[in-house]
Amino acid sequence: MSLTVGKKSPGEKIFDAANIIFLTVFSITAVYPFLNVLSISFSTSQAANAYGLKLWPQEISFEGYRAVFANKLIWTGYYNTIFRTVLGTLLNVLFSVMCAYPLSKKYLPHRNLFTAFIVFTMFFGGGLIPNYLLIKELGLLDSRWALILPGLIAAFTMIIVRNYFMSLPEELEESARIDGANEIRILFSIVLPISVPIIATISLWYAVAHWNAWFDSLLYISDPHKAVLGNVLRKIVIEGSSQFQQFDQGFNQNGQPAVTPDIIKSATIMVATIPIILVYPFVQKYFVKGVMVGSLKG
């Protein structure tokens, strides 16, 4: 008698091989543009202008990054983006938790009705012009608060947190009430310490959203000193050569410009992308647990 337990059938082997090939090709198509931009950002002007694929720099040069970091617009954009990301993420997480916690309690009157109102906003919105008029009437135009307050609570994220809180054992809160703790004390002393996975997950969601956001800044901010890094990046990459006049490009030994527009664009993209990429490894371990538990119980 032959044992076949654990062995894969020919169909399963073919499926696995096709899966590996597809995912490999998909990974290459996703990683290559990033490597190409990274390579150009570290290249000399001659190497950057050379024809062909660029997976690694032929001649390493840091002139592109020197020119980028010498531009005051980059540092201003960094400050505004970091300010928005840090403060916005803290407020987003705080208010999402404060909204999700009471909605997770069965004894909250009209809980399902409140939840339905919030879910309604996921499918229907006022539109661009009403939102702009609202921001204008609130006196938030050209204010950094216009980038934070309108999206203070993301409905989908709040629902995920609510479902996570509903999965926690009720006995923990009941024992705390017996000891005299109120709801605020229970939330911050008991619930949040055991909710690290979901808190880390939504923190990264909010942080990435704030870091990458630029359209609301384009709409509501007219002062260039309050523009976020995404807007600065957009001006450099899309609006073109007029922005390069603000860079100290320098010249090499042959009297040619040390950096080209492509090098400056690539270095700017890397400067805007690398910081948020570095955050992922520290919170990735919380993703599966936080999202799965928060999405199963409704």
Side-chain angles (χ1 to χ4, degrees), residues 176-199:
R177 291 191 184 94
I178 294 175
D179 293 335
N182 56 25
E183 296 294 341
I184 298 297
R185 180 67 181 273
I186 293 174
L187 173 61
F188 287 97
S189 299
I190 297 177
V191 175
L192 290 187
I194 61 177
S195 302
V196 173
I198 194 64
I199 298 300

Side-chain angles (χ1 to χ4, degrees), residues 54-283:
K54 301 176 179 64
L55 295 179
W56 53 83
Q58 301 296 326
E59 301 175 17
I60 297 179
S61 172
F62 296 96
E63 289 299 317
Y65 289 93
R66 182 194 63 81
V68 168
F69 285 119
N71 189 340
K72 294 182 179 179
L73 283 177
I74 296 294
W75 292 110
T76 301
Y78 249 123
Y79 169 78
N80 293 327
T81 297
I82 292 174
F83 175 86
R84 171 184 184 168
T85 301
V86 173
L87 180 60
T89 301
L90 290 175
L91 293 178
N92 286 143
V93 172
L94 176 62
F95 280 86
S96 294
V97 168
M98 296 290 287
C99 180
Y101 181 70
L103 290 176
S104 67
K105 303 306 170 188
K106 298 179 180 179
Y107 53 80
L108 177 69
H110 310 296
R111 180 186 66 157
N112 293 333
L113 180 61
F114 295 144
T115 303
F117 279 138
I118 295 174
V119 172
F120 180 83
T121 64
M122 296 172 57
F123 303 98
F124 301 95
L128 181 61
I129 295 178
N131 285 337
Y132 181 86
L133 295 177
L134 175 63
I135 296 298
K136 180 180 179 181
E137 291 300 321
L138 292 176
L140 295 177
L141 285 181
D142 214 23
S143 169
R144 293 186 178 94
W145 289 108
L147 311 180
I148 297 175
L149 294 181
L152 199 58
I153 298 177
F156 174 78
T157 304
M158 192 281 298
I159 295 298
I160 294 292
V161 179
R162 166 188 172 270
N163 293 346
Y164 187 94
F165 287 162
M166 292 175 63
S167 69
L168 299 178
E170 297 181 1
E171 291 78 9
L172 293 174
E173 299 181 25
E174 291 175 357
S175 61
R177 291 191 184 94
I178 294 175
D179 293 335
N182 56 25
E183 296 294 341
I184 298 297
R185 180 67 181 273
I186 293 174
L187 173 61
F188 287 97
S189 299
I190 297 177
V191 175
L192 290 187
I194 61 177
S195 302
V196 173
I198 194 64
I199 298 300
T201 300
I202 68 170
S203 295
L204 184 61
W205 288 354
Y206 280 126
V208 171
H210 280 298
W211 186 272
N212 292 332
W214 62 271
F215 188 64
D216 52 356
S217 176
L218 181 66
L219 289 177
Y220 306 136
I221 304 298
S222 57
D223 186 353
H225 297 289
K226 297 179 181 179
V228 297
L229 188 61
N231 269 14
V232 177
L233 175 64
R234 177 182 177 275
K235 290 180 180 179
I236 294 173
V237 174
I238 297 180
E239 293 185 7
S241 59
S242 62
Q243 292 294 324
F244 300 126
Q245 299 176 1
Q246 304 181 35
F247 289 91
D248 179 16
Q249 299 185 29
F251 296 90
N252 57 23
Q253 296 177 352
N254 299 326
Q256 299 175 341
V259 293
T260 63
D262 286 340
I263 294 177
I264 291 179
K265 289 179 181 180
S266 300
T268 305
I269 292 173
M270 288 296 102
V271 167
T273 305
I274 293 296
I276 199 64
I277 291 180
L278 295 178
V279 178
Y280 273 89
F282 297 100
V283 295

